[in-house]
Amino acid sequence: MTIIPQQSTIENLELIARQVVEGFIIGLHKSPFHGFSVEFAEHRLYNQGDNLKYVDWKVYGRNDKMFVKKFEEETNLRCYIALDTSASMFFPETGTTKLQYSCVAAACLLHLFKKQLDAGALAFFDEGLNELTNAKSSSRHFRTLMTELEKVLHQKNQGKKTDTAAALHQLADRIHQRSLVIIFSDMPDASENGEALLSALQHLRYNKHEVILFHVVDGKKELEFDFENRPYEFVDMETNEVLKINPTDIKEAYISKMTAYRKRLENHCQQNRIDLITCDMGEPVEQVLNRYLLKRNKMM
């Protein structure tokens, strides 16, 4: 399990990403998929009719499963990571923020893209799409993306609201080749703008993109509503609306509404064959890498 350091102590995002990915790969070595997982980009499951000369017999000897060696043109994939940088992503104000967690997860994915010769790109959004890089697989481009991530990691909260639907429409308009789009967001606008979000997700799928939506949450506070039995002052980070209340008085109603909201979001994603993953900051960031590999395997 990787413990993400406090934002003020992160000095080298690339180093952290490399350590996480290398540890993740070591863990795969110990899994039942030993051999396949480490060289994921160079293998696929054997299908009837495949030329036997391309079977990796060493891998077969280790796990009794047949995998075919893949060529570079088969393995290249364009991967766009869209990162929500709105005000709500700066929650909580102490400890690891959603934005920090997402930046580390994105850096780890970029490092994995590099190892697999996949082309990586970054997009940042809040009230709209603010930046979109090209998708490339070179080492120089990888370092440029890491620099961009570190800038976002250390930026101050600018009080920007979230318009996920507008940003995803703009992203869909600007990506012209079939790609994998990975979104990190806490989706604060999904409840009020459900139809608009559904339309944006449909736009991505209509353009033949595969999508993974990582719904970034603080599970203890946002899902379980776990607070002490005393008065609190809650402040909406995007509207600055203030609510003074004892959490115990509204916990049952809050959890009911949160469950309904998450169900609607899940239904929207299911309608469009989008992978919706709850990304609890209390869980190891390696879960993000595992989900990516599962998705990539399906696509290939």
Side-chain angles (χ1 to χ4, degrees):
M1 175 177 177
T2 298
I3 303 299
I4 298 178
Q6 299 296 317
Q7 184 167 351
S8 60
T9 65
I10 294 182
E11 298 180 355
N12 192 325
L13 193 56
E14 182 176 348
L15 176 61
I16 293 173
R18 184 167 68 248
Q19 291 174 339
V20 170
V21 172
E22 289 178 355
F24 176 72
I25 290 176
I26 290 173
L28 292 178
H29 264 299
K30 299 176 181 178
S31 76
F33 301 101
H34 174 64
F36 166 66
S37 298
V38 175
E39 298 178 322
F40 186 89
E42 289 77 39
H43 295 83
R44 63 170 169 79
L45 280 169
Y46 172 83
N47 294 316
Q48 187 173 0
D50 284 337
N51 193 325
L52 291 176
K53 74 177 183 179
Y54 296 125
V55 171
D56 192 324
W57 296 109
K58 291 182 179 179
V59 173
Y60 175 76
R62 286 197 292 263
N63 58 26
D64 201 30
K65 291 184 179 180
M66 294 177 68
F67 292 95
V68 177
K69 295 179 181 179
K70 297 171 67 176
F71 297 99
E72 182 173 331
E73 58 268 22
E74 291 185 88
T75 63
N76 274 164
L77 181 69
R78 286 174 299 276
C79 304
Y80 289 82
I81 301 176
L83 187 60
D84 183 352
T85 59
S86 63
S88 61
M89 292 292 285
F90 288 83
F91 178 84
E93 293 184 344
T94 59
T96 302
T97 66
K98 296 176 185 177
L99 182 61
Q100 179 187 5
Y101 186 96
S102 299
C103 283
V104 173
C108 293
L109 284 172
L110 289 173
H111 192 75
L112 199 55
F113 298 166
K114 178 185 175 185
K115 292 181 71 67
Q116 296 180 295
L117 303 179
D118 289 335
L122 286 173
F124 302 118
F125 69 93
D126 41 58
E127 298 172 0
L129 184 63
N130 297 322
E131 183 176 349
L132 175 63
T133 72
N134 293 325
K136 299 179 181 179
S137 57
S138 69
S139 296
R140 181 177 180 179
H141 182 66
F142 167 76
R143 289 191 293 271
T144 298
L145 296 182
M146 284 294 177
T147 299
E148 292 299 314
L149 267 183
E150 290 204 5
K151 290 179 182 177
V152 171
L153 180 70
H154 294 102
Q155 75 179 22
K156 302 296 183 181
N157 184 358
Q158 300 177 7
K160 296 287 187 177
K161 296 183 180 180
T162 312
D163 192 339
T164 310
L168 295 185
H169 275 303
Q170 294 169 25
L171 184 62
D173 285 336
R174 293 180 61 180
I175 302 177
H176 302 297
Q177 293 178 299
R178 182 175 181 268
S179 305
L180 172 61
V181 179
I182 302 172
I183 305 166
F184 286 93
S185 175
D186 56 353
M187 308 297 289
D189 57 337
S191 180
E192 296 181 357
N193 302 317
E195 292 304 317
L197 176 62
L198 177 58
S199 174
L201 293 174
Q202 288 172 337
H203 191 176
L204 283 169
R205 293 293 294 133
Y206 179 79
N207 288 2
K208 309 301 182 183
H209 302 303
E210 295 291 335
V211 182
I212 306 177
L213 172 54
F214 286 106
H215 184 207
V216 186
V217 297
D218 183 328
K220 185 176 181 180
K221 290 183 171 63
E222 294 182 297
L223 302 184
E224 301 173 12
F225 209 58
D226 186 9
F227 293 90
E228 295 178 6
N229 184 16
R230 62 176 179 83
Y232 282 82
E233 182 176 274
F234 294 93
V235 181
D236 188 311
M237 300 186 72
E238 298 199 359
T239 66
N240 291 320
E241 181 180 354
V242 178
L243 177 64
K244 297 179 180 180
I245 197 168
N246 188 322
T248 305
D249 295 338
I250 65 168
K251 183 172 183 176
E252 184 176 343
Y254 172 89
I255 291 179
S256 177
K257 287 184 177 294
M258 175 60 76
T259 301
Y261 152 73
R262 285 165 53 79
K263 185 63 177 177
R264 288 195 298 272
L265 182 59
E266 181 181 343
N267 289 339
H268 288 164
C269 291
Q270 286 181 345
Q271 290 174 30
N272 292 278
R273 302 187 304 279
I274 289 171
D275 291 292
L276 173 63
I277 312 299
T278 298
C279 196
D280 187 344
M281 296 190 299
E283 297 178 349
V285 72
E286 285 87 349
Q287 294 296 329
V288 172
L289 301 180
N290 187 53
R291 290 291 189 170
Y292 160 72
L293 288 181
L294 289 173
K295 182 69 171 182
R296 193 185 192 284
N297 191 21
K298 292 177 183 178
M299 292 178 64
M300 294 298 177

